[in-house]
Amino acid sequence: MDTLTAALPLSYFSEFPQKFYDAFILKNRYTNIVFGLGNTLMITFFAVIIGVILGTIIALVKVTHSNDKSKLKFLNAVCSVYLTVIRGTPVVVQLMIMWYIVFQPPVNLDRVVAAIFAFGINSGAYVAEVIRSGIQSVDKGQVEAGRSLGLSQRDTMVKIVFPQALKNVLPAIGNEFIALLKETSVAGYIAIQDLTKGGDIIRSITYDPYTSLLAVAGIYLLIVMGLTALLGKLERRLHRSDNR
C-alpha cells in the first residue's frame, strides 16, 4: 500500500472525485468497462469449455496409449506435438496467429470467436496434463475391480476411473479457469475490447493513467477473489464427501 501511495502524486487524492467523474460518469464512459468485462467473461467461459473438452480427449488418448503402446499410436503422436507446440509458445502469439492467419478469408469469423478458439486451444494443453495426472492418480486396484465385475476397459474408464479422477482435479481445473481469465487481458492485441482494453480506452481519452487502470485491476481482483472463494468451498465439500 505504501508503494502504491508513493507512486501516486499526492494531488491525485484531492482530485479523485473529479477524476472518477471524468473517467466513468462523463459521457457514460463506464460503458467501456462494462462492455469490456462482458467480452472478457464470455471469452473466458467458452474457452474453458473448449479447453476442458479438448483436454479430456487428449488425456484419454495419452493414458490409453500409456497403458497399451500398441493403441492410438498416431493420435498419441499428434497429441504430443500439440502439447509441445502450445505449451512452448506464448499465448499472445497463438492469439495473433489465430486471427491474422487462421481466421483470415475465406474463414472470416468474428474476432471474439478467434479469441475463444485461441484461448480454448491454449487451455486444452494444460487441462490435458491436469486430467491425465488425475486419471493416473486413481489406484490401479479400481481398474482391476471394474474388470473383475465384467466391465470393459472403456466402461471401467468411464464409470469408475474418470469420475474419481475428475473429482481429484476439479480444484486444479478451477485454478486454470482463474489463470485463463487473466490471460484474456491480451485480447486487445487483435483489437478486441476486453476489460483491459476498455480501461485503456478511457485512459487514452482522459490522459489519466491511474483511475481507469486501477479500476480494471480492482475488477480482476474481485473476480479472482470470488472464484477463489468458490473453489475453496468446493474443495471443502469434496473433502467432506471423502471422509464419509
Side-chain angles (χ1 to χ4, degrees):
M1 186 67 181
D2 292 338
T3 304
L4 178 61
T5 304
L8 293 172
L10 294 177
S11 61
Y12 176 80
F13 297 99
S14 61
E15 298 171 358
F16 178 76
Q18 183 61 45
K19 289 184 178 295
F20 183 88
Y21 176 83
D22 292 340
F24 303 114
I25 309 301
L26 184 63
K27 296 183 180 180
N28 294 326
R29 288 174 183 157
Y30 71 90
T31 56
N32 290 290
I33 297 292
V34 174
F35 182 77
L37 176 60
N39 278 338
T40 291
L41 294 178
M42 180 170 62
I43 291 170
T44 304
F45 177 77
F46 287 107
V48 164
I49 293 175
I50 292 174
V52 169
I53 294 173
L54 188 58
T56 300
I57 293 171
I58 292 170
L60 291 175
V61 169
K62 299 290 288 184
V63 170
T64 301
H65 178 75
S66 177
N67 293 336
D68 188 345
K69 299 295 183 181
S70 64
K71 292 183 177 180
L72 305 179
K73 287 184 178 180
F74 176 74
L75 287 178
N76 180 69
V78 171
C79 291
S80 296
V81 171
Y82 162 79
L83 293 174
T84 300
V85 171
I86 296 300
R87 297 174 68 188
T89 55
V91 65
V92 66
V93 175
Q94 296 166 21
L95 175 67
M96 289 191 290
I97 289 174
M98 184 65 71
W99 173 246
Y100 291 113
I101 298 177
V102 177
F103 272 45
Q104 289 303 297
V107 178
N108 200 28
L109 293 178
D110 188 81
R111 295 173 191 268
V112 173
V113 177
I116 289 172
F117 276 104
F119 289 115
I121 291 171
N122 178 269
S123 178
Y126 297 94
V127 171
E129 291 301 296
V130 170
I131 294 179
R132 182 184 63 81
S133 63
I135 292 174
Q136 292 179 334
S137 70
V138 176
D139 192 273
K140 291 184 178 179
Q142 300 287 327
V143 178
E144 295 171 358
R147 298 306 298 272
S148 67
L149 292 173
L151 297 176
S152 65
Q153 183 175 349
R154 187 180 72 85
D155 288 340
T156 301
M157 177 65 70
V158 172
K159 297 180 179 180
I160 296 177
V161 176
F162 193 72
Q164 295 182 63
L166 188 61
K167 183 179 179 181
N168 293 336
V169 302
L170 271 178
I173 293 176
N175 288 330
E176 171 61 22
F177 180 84
I178 291 174
L180 184 59
L181 171 72
K182 293 182 288 185
E183 286 176 355
T184 59
S185 61
V186 300
Y189 275 87
I190 60 171
I192 292 176
Q193 186 177 328
D194 66 320
L195 178 57
T196 302
K197 187 66 175 179
D200 197 47
I201 290 172
I202 296 174
R203 179 197 59 78
S204 66
I205 295 172
T206 61
Y207 296 100
D208 172 13
Y210 302 110
T211 307
S212 59
L213 296 181
L214 289 176
V216 167
I219 292 171
Y220 275 116
L221 180 61
L222 288 174
I223 295 173
V224 170
M225 289 173 63
L227 291 174
T228 302
L230 289 175
L231 284 174
K233 288 184 178 180
L234 176 61
E235 288 189 58
R236 288 192 292 272
R237 180 166 296 182
L238 291 176
H239 286 314
R240 283 201 299 269
S241 65
D242 287 339
N243 295 330
R244 290 176 182 174

